[in-house]
């Protein structure tokens, strides 16, 4: 990095996106914050100001501060000094934004990926069907509807007998 | 989703600030009561579940209070940690001591149903920032409601002892639940403008849903609903010690930036 200022001004949003793609989700390190669909927009102004807009997964997620700081650090590592990290609630984050590749990595990690949210009723008393990430069986039981993080539930597979975590369909 | 953000009049802004505070106060207080189960719930999974629910409710309070701050209100931390029992506007339903497990689950079921239905209606608010918050929070609330509806059923249809406790909890809590549907000052005008949901319509849906679940599915008996309720500024003796504990760290270290 020779000319600090010129390199900043020539920065492309795609470079910032690439940098953010290496920021892991603090609670599920096999996926990045871009895999999760949390980064909504990246802009670079003529003056070199980088603005990153992200959306929180859960409103009470205790990792939000970590994510915000990680975004800022990743952009700073590109040599940028003028950074703004904004959050937006619109449209609300949905697990439908988790990419296919990331879903497969979640599954290999032992977390059942979320089912499509669909256009079902918002107020419903039954949970969505879930497949065992190890053997693929649908013969599973939810053992706890809240897991170690806000985004997951706990299951046991009655086919292969393994306990596993499942991503909530949000 | 609404198309744009209409400008609020001064009167509407004041009324909305009050309503947002009321919404946040219920969330903060019920979250604290749920948090009291940390390390004490009957099984580890439920310890975790209530901590999750409490986190979500605090997240919702954060959404309401941040919106209030954007409308000219105080800093959310100030509102939560530097007001005393005379200024809190939560219902008595949420401030009553946590009681036994049945009491906690029935309270949370009554509250979750109200919150889920209110939020669902608020997604159609003509005031876009509120509609956005509601769309976000409603998705999370669904999980709370599924959880507590199941617990109400499990306890009511469990053993004679669990049924007795569940009925006792419902008998004690039911008269307080109506307070959730007390309109705040200026709320009618905001409802007429489409900014807030029609609380009466939410009340009708709530009564229908909880009655069907608790009586038909769970076999419980609903007590009578009292004709009148004290206002949200009238608290039981239980709120002051709750706030004292909840606010103790903030008040001991008033200049701390990270707690």
């Amino acid at each position: 990095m020779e000319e600090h200022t010129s390199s900043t001004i020539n920065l492309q949003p795609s470079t910032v996106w690439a940098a953010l793609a290496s920021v892991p989700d603090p609670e599920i390190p096999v996926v990045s914050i871009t895999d999760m669909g949390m980064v909504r927009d990246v802009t670079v102004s003529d003056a070199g100001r980088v603005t990153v807009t992200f959306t929180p997964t859960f409103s009470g997620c205790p990792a939000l501060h970590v994510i915000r700081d990680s975004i800022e650090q990743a952009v700073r590592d590109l040599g940028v000094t003028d950074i703004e990290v904004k959050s937006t609630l619109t449209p609300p984050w949905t697990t439908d934004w988790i990419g296919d590749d990331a879903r497969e990595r979640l599954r290999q990690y032992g977390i059942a990926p979320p089912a499509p949210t669909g256009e079902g009723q918002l107020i419903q008393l039954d949970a969505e069907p879930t497949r065992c990430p190890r053997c693929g069986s649908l013969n599973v039981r939810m053992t706890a509807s809240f897991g170690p993080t806000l985004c997951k539930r706990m299951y046991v597979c009655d086919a292969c007998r393994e306990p596993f975590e499942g991503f909530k369909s949000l | 989703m609404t198309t744009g953000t209409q400008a609020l009049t001064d009167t509407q802004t004041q009324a909305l600030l009050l309503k947002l505070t009321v919404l946040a106060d219920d969330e903060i207080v019920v979250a604290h009561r749920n948090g009291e189960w940390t390390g004490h719930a009957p099984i580890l999974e439920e310890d975790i579940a209530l901590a999750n629910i409490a986190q979500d409710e605090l997240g919702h309070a954060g959404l309401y209070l941040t919106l209030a701050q954007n409308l000219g209100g105080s800093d959310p931390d100030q509102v939560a940690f530097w007001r005393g029992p005379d200024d809190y506007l939560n219902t008595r339903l949420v401030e009553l001591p946590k009681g036994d497990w049945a009491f906690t689950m029935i309270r949370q079921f009554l509250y979750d149903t109200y919150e889920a239905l209110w939020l669902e209606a608020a997604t159609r608010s003509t005031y876009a920032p509120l509609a956005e918050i509601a769309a976000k929070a409603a998705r999370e609330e669904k999980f709370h409601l599924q959880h507590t509806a199941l617990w109400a059923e499990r306890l009511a249809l469990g053993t004679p002892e669990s049924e007795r406790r569940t009925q006792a909890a419902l008998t004690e809590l039911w008269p307080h639940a109506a307070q959730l549907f007390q309109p705040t000052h200026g709320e009618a005008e905001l409802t007429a403008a489409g900014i807030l949901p029609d609380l009466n319509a939410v009340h009708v849906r709530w009564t229908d849903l909880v009655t069907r679940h608790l009586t038909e599915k769970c076999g419980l008996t609903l007590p009578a609903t009292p004709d009148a309720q004290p206002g949200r500024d009238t608290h039981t003796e239980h709120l002051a010690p709750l706030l004292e504990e909840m606010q103790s760290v903030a008040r001991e270290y008033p200049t701390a930036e990270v707690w």
Side-chain angles (χ1 to χ4, degrees):
Chain A
M1 204 172 297
E2 346 77 87
E3 288 270 312
H4 183 78
T5 41
S6 66
S7 72
T8 299
I9 287 166
N10 293 330
L11 190 73
Q12 295 299 310
S14 57
T15 311
V16 179
W17 277 102
L20 295 175
S22 64
V23 176
D25 180 300
E27 292 182 326
I28 312 167
V30 289
V31 288
S32 75
I33 58 170
T34 56
D35 286 334
M36 294 288 284
M38 291 168 64
V39 181
R40 302 310 299 161
D41 192 36
V42 173
T43 59
V44 182
S45 75
D46 291 343
R49 161 175 273 220
V50 172
T51 304
V52 178
T53 307
F54 83 105
T55 188
T57 52
F58 280 74
S59 59
C61 179
L64 281 181
H65 292 94
V66 178
I67 293 168
R68 182 179 279 274
D69 291 350
S70 305
I71 289 174
E72 199 173 319
Q73 189 56 50
V75 179
R76 199 177 299 287
D77 288 346
L78 294 171
V80 180
T81 50
D82 192 1
I83 307 160
E84 186 185 12
V85 181
K86 295 198 293 193
S87 63
T88 179
L89 294 175
T90 311
W93 183 79
T94 164
T95 43
D96 289 345
W97 295 346
I98 300 176
D100 287 342
D101 177 50
R103 282 166 190 270
E104 176 57 19
R105 260 178 288 140
L106 283 174
R107 195 191 61 73
Q108 287 174 7
Y109 191 59
I111 301 173
T117 52
E119 292 302 310
Q121 248 187 305
L122 196 58
I123 313 279
Q124 55 190 12
L125 300 184
D126 298 316
E128 66 281 355
T130 298
R131 203 178 274 284
C132 173
R134 290 186 174 81
C135 74
S137 172
L138 280 168
N139 185 15
V140 303
R141 271 181 297 128
M142 195 197 300
T143 50
S145 49
F146 294 88
T149 66
L150 289 176
C151 51
K152 285 176 286 181
R153 309 177 123 164
M154 304 301 293
Y155 295 82
V156 166
C157 176
D158 280 338
C160 71
R161 302 286 172 196
E162 286 288 337
F164 66 92
E165 295 179 327
F167 220 99
K168 285 178 188 167
S169 229
L170 187 73
Chain B
M1 193 54 61
T2 42
T3 45
T5 301
Q6 66 185 86
L8 301 175
T9 66
D10 285 348
T11 316
Q12 286 176 334
T13 302
Q14 290 312 311
L16 187 54
L17 277 172
L18 174 64
K19 181 69 181 184
L20 291 168
T21 309
V22 159
L23 290 163
D25 285 356
D26 275 340
E27 300 275 37
I28 292 168
V29 173
V30 84
H32 187 85
R33 285 295 184 222
N34 288 338
E36 288 178 342
W37 280 100
T38 304
H40 300 277
I43 50 175
L44 178 61
E45 285 81 356
E46 285 312 311
D47 210 315
I48 293 167
L50 268 182
N52 271 247
I53 290 173
Q55 265 183 357
D56 277 340
E57 306 297 30
L58 275 184
H60 301 168
L63 294 175
Y64 292 134
L65 293 181
T66 303
L67 175 53
Q69 186 180 26
N70 294 340
L71 282 168
S74 304
D75 171 71
D77 285 337
Q78 288 289 323
V79 177
F81 294 109
W82 294 94
R83 282 180 309 145
D86 293 342
D87 297 320
Y88 256 79
L89 295 170
N90 59 280
T91 54
R92 284 164 304 143
L93 176 78
V94 294
E95 77 192 27
L96 294 173
K98 75 182 199 305
D100 62 14
W101 188 248
F103 189 88
T104 294
M105 286 296 107
I106 292 296
R107 163 161 59 195
Q108 195 63 29
F109 172 69
L110 296 174
Y111 183 76
D112 288 339
T113 313
Y114 147 79
E115 195 187 350
L117 292 170
W118 191 89
L119 286 169
E120 195 264 335
T123 60
R124 293 184 292 276
S125 169
T126 54
Y127 185 60
L130 179 62
E132 289 171 10
I133 286 174
K136 179 75 187 161
R139 286 162 175 266
E140 298 168 356
E141 202 54 35
K142 177 182 79 173
F143 296 103
H144 303 185
L145 184 55
Q146 286 175 359
H147 189 70
T148 50
L150 193 60
W151 263 109
E153 203 180 326
R154 187 181 284 147
L155 291 167
L157 304 177
T159 64
E161 175 66 5
S162 74
E163 186 198 354
R164 185 188 66 76
R165 287 180 181 232
T166 310
Q167 181 62 58
L170 182 60
T171 303
E172 184 177 347
L173 287 163
W174 184 258
H176 295 294
Q179 209 186 4
L180 291 167
F181 301 98
Q182 264 180 1
T184 52
H185 183 71
E187 180 162 350
E189 193 206 328
L190 294 179
T191 300
I195 295 166
L196 287 180
D198 179 350
L199 204 55
N200 290 325
V202 174
H203 196 174
V204 169
R205 290 189 68 197
W206 179 85
T207 306
D208 177 55
L209 203 153
V210 298
T211 302
R212 273 191 289 126
H213 189 68
L214 294 176
T215 61
E216 292 171 26
K217 202 155 192 178
C218 302
L220 298 168
T221 306
L222 292 184
T225 304
D227 294 332
Q229 290 279 340
R232 278 175 171 266
D233 51 357
T234 306
H235 294 288
T236 65
E237 72 273 24
H238 306 297
L239 181 63
L242 179 152
L243 292 179
E244 194 181 332
E245 180 182 277
M246 186 185 94
Q247 298 174 333
S248 59
V249 176
R251 288 176 186 257
E252 190 160 348
Y253 304 99
T255 57
E257 291 180 7
V258 178
W259 294 343

